[in-house]
Amino acid sequence: MSDKNKVQEFFKLGEFGNYFTRVFQKPDPNKPTNFNLRMMHGINKISIIMFLIAIIVWTVKRFI
């Protein structure tokens, strides 16, 4: 196994990790959607962004 494959395997996100990239993409127009599903994805986007901001603030405060 080459070093490149080891790195790719280490950072492999899987189905759970792929959700975080899919949630910021435009929805597929062929899939059915409803109000509840759109609101759920909207709240998830907000929570992911808030989490990343909190991690950045915590890191900055920790090292300064």
Side-chain angles (χ1 to χ4, degrees):
M1 183 180 249
S2 71
D3 289 336
K4 184 178 179 182
N5 289 338
K6 289 179 185 177
V7 172
Q8 286 177 344
E9 186 65 30
F10 181 75
F11 287 106
K12 189 174 182 182
L13 296 175
E15 186 64 30
F16 178 73
N18 287 336
Y19 173 77
F20 293 108
T21 57
R22 280 194 326 248
V23 77
F24 291 103
Q25 295 175 353
K26 294 282 185 187
D28 186 9
N30 298 327
K31 288 187 178 181
T33 184
N34 60 27
F35 179 77
N36 293 331
L37 187 61
R38 288 195 315 263
M39 288 300 109
M40 180 192 71
H41 286 297
I43 291 170
N44 285 347
K45 288 177 190 178
I46 293 169
S47 64
I48 290 169
I49 290 169
M50 291 298 294
F51 175 75
L52 292 175
I53 290 171
I55 292 294
I56 291 168
V57 168
W58 179 81
T59 305
V60 168
K61 287 176 102 176
R62 182 89 173 155
F63 291 111
I64 291 180

